[in-house]
Amino acid sequence: MRKYLALSAAAAFVAVGATAYAATPARPGAPAGRPLAGLRVLISNDDSMQAAKPGNSDGLGLYELRRAMCAAGADVVVMAPWQVQSGKGTAVTNGGVVTAQRRTELPAGYESDCSSAPSGGAVYGVCLSAGPCGKDTPSATPADTVKLALRGGLRAKAGWRDAPDLVLTGINSGPNVAASVNDSGTVGAAVAAIDQGVPAVAFSSSGDATNTSFPRENYRANAEFGARLVADLRQRGLLTPAFALKVDYPDVSLGQRAKAPVWTRVGDGAVAYHAFAQRGTSDSFDITLGLCPFDGSGEGECAEGRADADSTWLLDKGHVTIAPITWDRTYGTPVDARRALQRVERYVRHDAPRP
């Protein structure tokens, strides 16, 4: 396990080193309906904690995940970006001041979800400001929020003296598959957690058929599946900081049922990509979202070459997809924790809960 020297700066929130730990096993005698009792969970995302947009693209999934985890007995604290930070990957802020501001008025319908949890399901938005976070205050990145939480934020705000048992990120508005994984702030936040020795799972949900609206039904199905998945992983001793798990959930908003979980690799093609359109002959370019065809006819960067690609099994076949993600970018490096990886893969293939 890697160890870290935490840095501090006069103008920044004081940071303290995150502690490597062993995942807390299921508490003996825990009620069957509360399989996560005693588990302390940090939740973050890249969509913010606002949950105010009609299309549900700015954090509603986070509240569904919080709801499901508290219902299963977990003690939950949320530290998430103040503003939408989609596509930030593992980006961090290198100076200045951050403020973790508690949200006192939660979205309608989610106010009492964590009322019995020791930490009350406290929700904090993290902004780049020395004072209160306002409507237009710039936001911390997803990785910032996890690093802040693990390096002093949870101790200061929630009284947690040790690292949480688990970090969950999401539920993201839209799938994080194929080449998009490299840009994903949801995945980036999970990588920040395992980078500090804390197990992590990153959740993402597909949108509706237009992929411009993100129905509550998709978030809720994903969250409830996620709570059962986490409970199983905990019970079997499969929560590990050696790698994060990326869980993507298909669209079920029209009543269709998600198909069984599939162990996948990250696809080598693209589903969506950044496109740049020049403004006439000027030096300026508009940044737009490019979409690859969903019928498998894509060419160039849209072509998918892996039979076990997450995008194929999620978007084409309607399965829940699960893939391991690591911080190590060294090409050709031997796989660490191979036995743990094989155990998790075997579990997903044969014993993971069905949606």
Side-chain angles (χ1 to χ4, degrees):
M1 184 65 62
R2 296 183 295 165
K3 296 183 179 179
Y4 301 87
L5 175 65
L7 304 179
S8 64
F13 192 100
V14 176
V16 297
T19 304
Y21 79 108
T24 303
R27 189 177 69 184
R34 295 174 63 80
L36 298 183
L39 191 76
R40 294 179 309 164
V41 177
L42 168 69
I43 298 180
S44 188
N45 69 357
D46 71 357
D47 287 335
S48 86
M49 33 61 72
Q50 299 292 341
K53 294 182 178 179
N56 301 329
S57 63
D58 64 336
L60 185 71
L62 179 151
Y63 291 97
E64 284 293 332
L65 188 60
R66 172 180 174 270
R67 168 186 172 274
M69 293 299 153
C70 284
D75 187 16
V76 173
V77 173
V78 172
M79 281 196 178
W82 180 251
Q83 309 277 15
V84 173
Q85 294 289 286
S86 182
K88 292 292 185 178
T90 56
V92 295
T93 304
N94 288 325
V97 181
V98 297
T99 293
Q101 183 168 303
R102 184 164 185 175
R103 182 169 185 174
T104 56
E105 185 175 344
L106 298 179
Y110 298 96
E111 301 92 340
S112 302
D113 289 339
C114 299
S115 57
S116 63
S119 300
V123 176
Y124 296 91
V126 185
C127 68
L128 303 180
S129 170
C133 305
K135 179 181 178 181
D136 299 319
T137 306
S139 180
T141 70
D144 284 339
T145 65
V146 172
K147 291 175 184 289
L148 167 65
L150 300 183
R151 293 177 171 173
L154 285 172
R155 178 188 291 265
K157 293 295 188 179
W160 291 4
R161 298 186 61 83
D162 300 314
D165 298 307
L166 180 65
V167 172
L168 302 179
T169 63
I171 299 169
N172 189 66
S173 57
N176 276 309
V177 293
S180 299
V181 171
N182 290 326
D183 300 328
S184 168
T186 305
V187 173
V191 169
I194 61 171
D195 196 48
Q196 294 297 305
V198 181
V201 183
F203 292 97
S204 300
S205 282
S206 297
D208 63 8
T210 69
N211 209 40
T212 59
S213 182
F214 304 93
R216 189 187 307 265
E217 294 88 346
N218 288 352
Y219 291 136
R220 182 154 296 185
N222 193 349
E224 292 177 352
F225 168 81
R228 290 187 289 134
L229 176 71
V230 169
D232 258 10
L233 292 170
R234 182 196 192 197
Q235 181 66 41
R236 295 164 185 259
L238 296 178
L239 292 175
T240 172
F243 49 87
L245 292 178
K246 181 181 71 72
V247 180
D248 288 88
Y249 209 87
D251 178 23
V252 294
S253 61
L254 297 180
Q256 64 272 42
R257 193 177 187 87
K259 296 180 182 178
V262 176
W263 184 256
T264 64
R265 286 194 294 170
V266 174
D268 63 2
V271 172
Y273 56 91
H274 293 99
F276 300 87
Q278 187 176 12
R279 292 188 171 185
T281 59
S282 73
D283 295 333
S284 300
F285 294 78
D286 289 315
I287 303 173
T288 61
L289 182 65
L291 294 176
C292 295
F294 289 167
D295 60 3
S297 63
E299 299 178 350
E301 66 180 301
C302 292
E304 178 54 61
R306 293 177 172 174
D308 58 352
D310 49 7
S311 54
T312 300
W313 285 93
L314 177 78
L315 300 175
D316 296 351
K317 301 182 179 181
H319 287 263
V320 178
T321 60
I322 301 178
I325 301 292
T326 180
W327 51 267
D328 192 344
R329 299 187 181 185
T330 307
Y331 182 75
T333 188
V335 176
D336 294 328
R338 181 179 295 276
R339 183 171 298 177
L341 182 65
Q342 290 172 341
R343 288 182 64 204
V344 175
E345 179 180 357
R346 189 179 310 115
Y347 161 74
V348 170
R349 291 188 183 278
H350 302 290
D351 299 314
R354 296 308 189 251

PDB file of all heavy atoms in Angstrom, residues 9 14 24 30 91 120 137 182 195 232 246 260 285 290 292 300 340:
ATOM      1  N   ALA A   9      -0.891  24.411   2.762  1.00  0.00           N
ATOM      2  CA  ALA A   9      -0.465  25.730   2.327  1.00  0.00           C
ATOM      3  C   ALA A   9      -1.258  26.754   3.116  1.00  0.00           C
ATOM      4  O   ALA A   9      -2.385  26.510   3.530  1.00  0.00           O
ATOM      5  CB  ALA A   9      -0.720  25.916   0.835  1.00  0.00           C
ATOM      6  N   VAL A  14      -6.439  23.130   5.494  1.00  0.00           N
ATOM      7  CA  VAL A  14      -5.382  22.315   6.064  1.00  0.00           C
ATOM      8  C   VAL A  14      -5.623  20.859   5.714  1.00  0.00           C
ATOM      9  O   VAL A  14      -6.716  20.333   5.889  1.00  0.00           O
ATOM     10  CB  VAL A  14      -5.332  22.492   7.598  1.00  0.00           C
ATOM     11  CG1 VAL A  14      -4.284  21.568   8.192  1.00  0.00           C
ATOM     12  CG2 VAL A  14      -5.010  23.932   7.947  1.00  0.00           C
ATOM     13  N   THR A  24     -14.092  -2.451   6.687  1.00  0.00           N
ATOM     14  CA  THR A  24     -14.851  -2.954   7.817  1.00  0.00           C
ATOM     15  C   THR A  24     -15.771  -4.077   7.372  1.00  0.00           C
ATOM     16  O   THR A  24     -16.574  -3.899   6.465  1.00  0.00           O
ATOM     17  CB  THR A  24     -15.701  -1.820   8.425  1.00  0.00           C
ATOM     18  OG1 THR A  24     -14.834  -0.753   8.792  1.00  0.00           O
ATOM     19  CG2 THR A  24     -16.460  -2.306   9.642  1.00  0.00           C
ATOM     20  N   ALA A  30     -26.046  -7.839  12.236  1.00  0.00           N
ATOM     21  CA  ALA A  30     -26.700  -6.695  11.613  1.00  0.00           C
ATOM     22  C   ALA A  30     -28.052  -7.124  11.062  1.00  0.00           C
ATOM     23  O   ALA A  30     -28.184  -8.195  10.480  1.00  0.00           O
ATOM     24  CB  ALA A  30     -25.834  -6.136  10.486  1.00  0.00           C
ATOM     25  N   ALA A  91      -8.734  16.068 -12.714  1.00  0.00           N
ATOM     26  CA  ALA A  91      -8.201  17.425 -12.518  1.00  0.00           C
ATOM     27  C   ALA A  91      -8.285  17.854 -11.064  1.00  0.00           C
ATOM     28  O   ALA A  91      -9.236  17.531 -10.349  1.00  0.00           O
ATOM     29  CB  ALA A  91      -8.975  18.414 -13.387  1.00  0.00           C
ATOM     30  N   GLY A 120     -26.282  11.884   9.968  1.00  0.00           N
ATOM     31  CA  GLY A 120     -27.462  12.536   9.407  1.00  0.00           C
ATOM     32  C   GLY A 120     -27.448  12.703   7.904  1.00  0.00           C
ATOM     33  O   GLY A 120     -28.264  13.457   7.366  1.00  0.00           O
ATOM     34  N   THR A 137     -20.392  31.039  -7.683  1.00  0.00           N
ATOM     35  CA  THR A 137     -19.058  30.761  -7.164  1.00  0.00           C
ATOM     36  C   THR A 137     -18.438  29.582  -7.900  1.00  0.00           C
ATOM     37  O   THR A 137     -19.098  28.552  -8.090  1.00  0.00           O
ATOM     38  CB  THR A 137     -19.113  30.436  -5.666  1.00  0.00           C
ATOM     39  OG1 THR A 137     -19.792  31.475  -4.978  1.00  0.00           O
ATOM     40  CG2 THR A 137     -17.706  30.297  -5.088  1.00  0.00           C
ATOM     41  N   ASN A 182     -11.886   8.267 -19.667  1.00  0.00           N
ATOM     42  CA  ASN A 182     -10.707   9.085 -19.390  1.00  0.00           C
ATOM     43  C   ASN A 182     -11.067  10.505 -18.980  1.00  0.00           C
ATOM     44  O   ASN A 182     -10.301  11.173 -18.279  1.00  0.00           O
ATOM     45  CB  ASN A 182      -9.802   9.132 -20.619  1.00  0.00           C
ATOM     46  CG  ASN A 182      -9.129   7.807 -20.892  1.00  0.00           C
ATOM     47  OD1 ASN A 182      -8.800   7.075 -19.969  1.00  0.00           O
ATOM     48  ND2 ASN A 182      -8.936   7.482 -22.157  1.00  0.00           N
ATOM     49  N   ASP A 195      -6.408   6.101  -4.768  1.00  0.00           N
ATOM     50  CA  ASP A 195      -5.080   6.696  -4.696  1.00  0.00           C
ATOM     51  C   ASP A 195      -4.679   6.953  -3.242  1.00  0.00           C
ATOM     52  O   ASP A 195      -3.502   6.983  -2.903  1.00  0.00           O
ATOM     53  CB  ASP A 195      -5.061   8.004  -5.485  1.00  0.00           C
ATOM     54  CG  ASP A 195      -3.662   8.479  -5.786  1.00  0.00           C
ATOM     55  OD1 ASP A 195      -2.845   7.668  -6.243  1.00  0.00           O
ATOM     56  OD2 ASP A 195      -3.385   9.679  -5.568  1.00  0.00           O
ATOM     57  N   ASP A 232     -23.118  -7.024  -0.751  1.00  0.00           N
ATOM     58  CA  ASP A 232     -22.510  -8.305  -1.111  1.00  0.00           C
ATOM     59  C   ASP A 232     -20.988  -8.233  -1.072  1.00  0.00           C
ATOM     60  O   ASP A 232     -20.316  -9.115  -0.533  1.00  0.00           O
ATOM     61  CB  ASP A 232     -22.955  -8.695  -2.520  1.00  0.00           C
ATOM     62  CG  ASP A 232     -24.054  -9.742  -2.520  1.00  0.00           C
ATOM     63  OD1 ASP A 232     -24.606 -10.027  -1.447  1.00  0.00           O
ATOM     64  OD2 ASP A 232     -24.354 -10.273  -3.605  1.00  0.00           O
ATOM     65  N   LYS A 246     -16.224   0.322 -11.695  1.00  0.00           N
ATOM     66  CA  LYS A 246     -17.061   1.232 -12.477  1.00  0.00           C
ATOM     67  C   LYS A 246     -18.332   0.485 -12.843  1.00  0.00           C
ATOM     68  O   LYS A 246     -18.276  -0.548 -13.503  1.00  0.00           O
ATOM     69  CB  LYS A 246     -16.319   1.681 -13.737  1.00  0.00           C
ATOM     70  CG  LYS A 246     -17.094   2.659 -14.602  1.00  0.00           C
ATOM     71  CD  LYS A 246     -16.292   3.044 -15.848  1.00  0.00           C
ATOM     72  CE  LYS A 246     -16.189   1.923 -16.855  1.00  0.00           C
ATOM     73  NZ  LYS A 246     -17.466   1.652 -17.562  1.00  0.00           N
ATOM     74  N   ALA A 260     -28.631  -8.844 -16.579  1.00  0.00           N
ATOM     75  CA  ALA A 260     -27.680  -9.241 -15.547  1.00  0.00           C
ATOM     76  C   ALA A 260     -26.332  -8.535 -15.694  1.00  0.00           C
ATOM     77  O   ALA A 260     -25.891  -8.226 -16.812  1.00  0.00           O
ATOM     78  CB  ALA A 260     -27.478 -10.750 -15.603  1.00  0.00           C
ATOM     79  N   PHE A 285     -13.008  28.682 -31.603  1.00  0.00           N
ATOM     80  CA  PHE A 285     -13.666  27.404 -31.907  1.00  0.00           C
ATOM     81  C   PHE A 285     -14.735  27.137 -30.857  1.00  0.00           C
ATOM     82  O   PHE A 285     -14.495  27.301 -29.665  1.00  0.00           O
ATOM     83  CB  PHE A 285     -12.647  26.250 -31.883  1.00  0.00           C
ATOM     84  CG  PHE A 285     -11.616  26.322 -32.965  1.00  0.00           C
ATOM     85  CD1 PHE A 285     -10.532  27.192 -32.874  1.00  0.00           C
ATOM     86  CD2 PHE A 285     -11.706  25.504 -34.085  1.00  0.00           C
ATOM     87  CE1 PHE A 285      -9.569  27.256 -33.867  1.00  0.00           C
ATOM     88  CE2 PHE A 285     -10.752  25.555 -35.083  1.00  0.00           C
ATOM     89  CZ  PHE A 285      -9.680  26.445 -34.981  1.00  0.00           C
ATOM     90  N   GLY A 290     -19.761  15.624 -29.797  1.00  0.00           N
ATOM     91  CA  GLY A 290     -19.949  14.756 -30.939  1.00  0.00           C
ATOM     92  C   GLY A 290     -20.446  13.396 -30.483  1.00  0.00           C
ATOM     93  O   GLY A 290     -20.002  12.884 -29.448  1.00  0.00           O
ATOM     94  N   CYS A 292     -21.205   9.324 -31.574  1.00  0.00           N
ATOM     95  CA  CYS A 292     -20.982   8.250 -32.531  1.00  0.00           C
ATOM     96  C   CYS A 292     -22.296   7.512 -32.784  1.00  0.00           C
ATOM     97  O   CYS A 292     -23.179   7.495 -31.914  1.00  0.00           O
ATOM     98  CB  CYS A 292     -19.946   7.266 -31.978  1.00  0.00           C
ATOM     99  SG  CYS A 292     -18.293   7.988 -31.775  1.00  0.00           S
ATOM    100  N   GLY A 300     -13.258   5.028 -37.568  1.00  0.00           N
ATOM    101  CA  GLY A 300     -12.255   5.858 -36.938  1.00  0.00           C
ATOM    102  C   GLY A 300     -12.330   5.736 -35.425  1.00  0.00           C
ATOM    103  O   GLY A 300     -12.371   4.621 -34.885  1.00  0.00           O
ATOM    104  N   ALA A 340      -7.242 -10.772  -5.810  1.00  0.00           N
ATOM    105  CA  ALA A 340      -8.438  -9.995  -5.467  1.00  0.00           C
ATOM    106  C   ALA A 340      -9.243  -9.685  -6.718  1.00  0.00           C
ATOM    107  O   ALA A 340     -10.480  -9.762  -6.718  1.00  0.00           O
ATOM    108  CB  ALA A 340      -8.036  -8.705  -4.754  1.00  0.00           C
TER     109      ALA A 340
END
